[in-house]
Amino acid sequence: AQTVTQSQPEMSVQEAETVTLSCTYDTSESNYYLFWYKQPPSRQMILVIRQEAYKQQNATENRFSVNFQKAAKSFSLKISDSQLGDTAMYFCAFMNNAGNMLTFGGGTRLMVKP
Amino acid sequence: DAGVTQSPTHLIKTRGQQVTLRCSPKSGHDTVSWYQQALGQGPQFIFQYYEEEERQRGNFPDRFSGHQYPNYSSELNVNALLLGDSALYLCASSHRQSFSTGELFFGEGSRLTVL
């Protein structure tokens, strides 16, 4: 069974600054997918960024980028130029190659301060 | 284009009762997954439905059951409610052809409170 661990329950960052959220996972599979989801107070889970394990290049989506270290089983999210709208819970998630279920970490609550 | 819709948004039940939650997937999606999110925790996978059958199940007791209709909408039923069933229940939809992308679209959830 896979496990996903987010060791930072809460973080804060000043508007326009950069923040990095940490995530580690454990799996015996060689091919899989990793995700960061954002859950604002509206409760709807929104996909932020996705990484395929077979790709060495780190994924980037506008202000969001990841640092994927497969050997270390580490998958951190960097948010650049933080905006007030980035305030939310952030969940790291793992999906196996069968694509039939997500395993989530416990989440990191991020607050962006003006 | 309507996204994933869930109903009801909030509901309160008492221990021992039964509850039914409903989900309509995003247009063009044929697969529905259900997740339970306890307060302050990450979501946990309950089960997944496509072609009107349960295809994968997480570590949840048989009190949790589901159904998928020919129009791909789905229901989650929980019998003999316990206090510990209080949670946000999230529905996520996808298309089997896009399993390899792993992208799920989530609804806003149904908040269940068991008293």
Side-chain angles (χ1 to χ4, degrees):
Chain A
Q2 295 81 17
T3 59
V4 179
T5 302
Q6 294 178 247
S7 59
Q8 306 152 315
E10 293 187 4
M11 294 193 70
S12 64
V13 62
Q14 291 296 131
E15 195 175 6
E17 297 292 310
T18 296
V19 64
T20 298
L21 309 183
S22 301
C23 172
T24 59
Y25 60 94
D26 190 22
T27 183
S28 58
E29 301 188 24
S30 59
N31 198 21
Y32 48 86
Y33 305 87
L34 295 166
F35 306 86
W36 280 97
Y37 278 88
K38 168 185 177 181
Q39 188 178 40
S42 68
R43 311 185 314 199
Q44 187 171 22
M45 202 75 76
I46 301 166
L47 178 65
V48 174
I49 198 165
R50 174 180 63 236
Q51 175 81 42
E52 292 91 340
Y54 65 87
K55 290 185 177 180
Q56 293 188 344
Q57 186 174 6
N58 289 324
T60 299
E61 287 288 340
N62 300 314
R63 299 183 294 108
F64 300 88
S65 62
V66 298
N67 183 5
F68 174 48
Q69 302 289 329
K70 190 173 184 178
K73 296 180 180 175
S74 170
F75 182 61
S76 61
L77 173 70
K78 185 172 80 172
I79 306 174
S80 304
D81 186 25
S82 297
Q83 301 176 359
L84 296 179
D86 295 333
T87 293
M89 284 291 293
Y90 286 82
F91 292 97
C92 178
F94 173 102
M95 178 177 280
N96 59 16
N97 200 35
N100 51 19
M101 62 175 283
L102 282 168
T103 300
F104 286 88
T108 296
R109 183 178 303 278
L110 176 67
M111 176 165 291
V112 180
K113 298 179 178 179
Chain B
D1 178 22
V4 180
T5 57
Q6 293 187 241
S7 63
T9 55
H10 296 83
L11 69 166
I12 299 174
K13 294 286 187 178
T14 57
R15 281 178 295 176
Q17 285 189 313
Q18 179 264 344
V19 67
T20 297
L21 309 178
R22 296 177 174 81
C23 172
S24 292
K26 180 179 170 63
S27 178
H29 286 182
D30 60 2
T31 299
V32 172
S33 302
W34 287 92
Y35 289 79
Q36 180 195 65
Q37 186 178 17
L39 193 63
Q41 298 182 20
Q44 289 194 318
F45 175 76
I46 303 175
F47 43 54
Q48 181 186 72
Y49 277 82
Y50 59 85
E51 294 183 347
E52 302 179 47
E53 290 190 18
E54 182 182 298
R55 300 294 180 172
Q56 185 79 10
R57 188 179 184 91
N59 188 26
F60 280 81
D62 291 344
R63 298 187 298 108
F64 290 77
S65 63
H67 188 80
Q68 186 180 36
Y69 294 92
N71 67 352
Y72 309 121
S73 67
S74 176
E75 290 180 353
L76 165 65
N77 301 293
V78 186
N79 295 321
L81 284 168
L82 305 174
L83 295 179
D85 295 332
S86 295
L88 179 67
Y89 289 85
L90 296 169
C91 172
S93 75
S94 58
H95 195 286
R96 290 180 60 196
Q97 297 300 323
S98 64
F99 270 1
S100 62
T101 70
E103 183 167 0
L104 302 182
F105 288 80
F106 284 84
E108 294 187 358
S110 294
R111 171 77 66 190
L112 171 65
T113 301
V114 182
L115 301 177

